[in-house]
Amino acid sequence: MWMEFTFEVILLTITGTFGLIGNLATIIFFTKSKKNKLRFHWLMITLAIYDTIYLAFCIIVFAVPGLSENYKKEGYHFYVVPKAIPIIQIALTGSVYCTMAISLERYLTVCRPFYITAQHWSVERYIVPIVIFSVVFNSSRFF
């Protein structure tokens, strides 16, 4: 019982809080950047948003019930979990595919610089399909 409390409540809350702070700092840093917004910047912002959603909902679903007895007694957990788990899955899927898009974009920038400059791809070609796929692929989890 103490190991469950230690890992699911204490460590998840501490590491999740550091992760939330780091992701929010990343979002602020890349949005306040004076340079032109590159595809890389927008992909990093999107990745940080997905990771922030994932961490926030993991803390709500797994750590908060161990911290608050009223949360479980009042039945909030019963209503939150069926809606939070699909959102966690959407954020996790988006995070994975956003990481793959960053890898692809970095590969093209470093190994094929002339191809990238000749193509004039907008960042929407990366982000919109990731968002749509993440939501559509995981939408059945809401039912």
Side-chain angles (χ1 to χ4, degrees):
M1 186 67 175
W2 68 269
M3 279 188 69
E4 179 181 329
F5 181 79
T6 303
F7 284 103
E8 282 190 11
V9 178
I10 296 172
L11 292 177
L12 177 64
T13 304
I14 292 170
T15 57
T17 303
F18 281 123
L20 288 172
I21 292 168
N23 284 326
L24 293 175
T26 300
I27 293 169
I28 291 168
F29 175 77
F30 281 119
T31 55
K32 299 284 184 188
S33 177
K34 300 291 185 199
K35 297 179 182 178
N36 292 337
K37 297 282 191 286
L38 303 173
R39 282 185 295 269
F40 176 74
H41 294 154
W42 288 109
L43 287 170
M44 287 299 291
I45 291 169
T46 306
L47 178 62
I49 289 169
Y50 276 127
D51 288 345
T52 301
I53 293 168
Y54 177 78
L55 286 171
F57 278 96
C58 279
I59 290 171
I60 290 169
V61 169
F62 300 113
V64 172
L67 293 172
S68 172
E69 284 296 319
N70 289 336
Y71 183 76
K72 286 192 276 188
K73 285 182 184 177
E74 299 292 326
Y76 297 124
H77 195 66
F78 177 74
Y79 293 109
V80 169
V81 170
K83 293 163 186 63
I85 295 295
I87 293 171
I88 289 172
Q89 292 299 318
I90 289 170
L92 187 61
T93 303
S95 180
V96 167
Y97 284 104
C98 200
T99 302
M100 289 173 50
I102 290 170
S103 299
L104 176 66
E105 195 273 335
R106 292 285 90 191
Y107 168 77
L108 291 174
T109 301
V110 173
C111 295
R112 309 270 190 242
F114 298 115
Y115 177 77
I116 267 300
T117 55
Q119 292 301 320
H120 300 298
W121 285 0
S122 67
V123 73
E124 287 85 16
R125 282 192 147 187
Y126 291 101
I127 295 175
V128 171
I130 292 170
V131 172
I132 290 171
F133 178 76
S134 299
V135 172
V136 170
F137 182 73
N138 292 299
S139 63
S140 64
R141 297 179 193 272
F142 283 102
F143 301 111

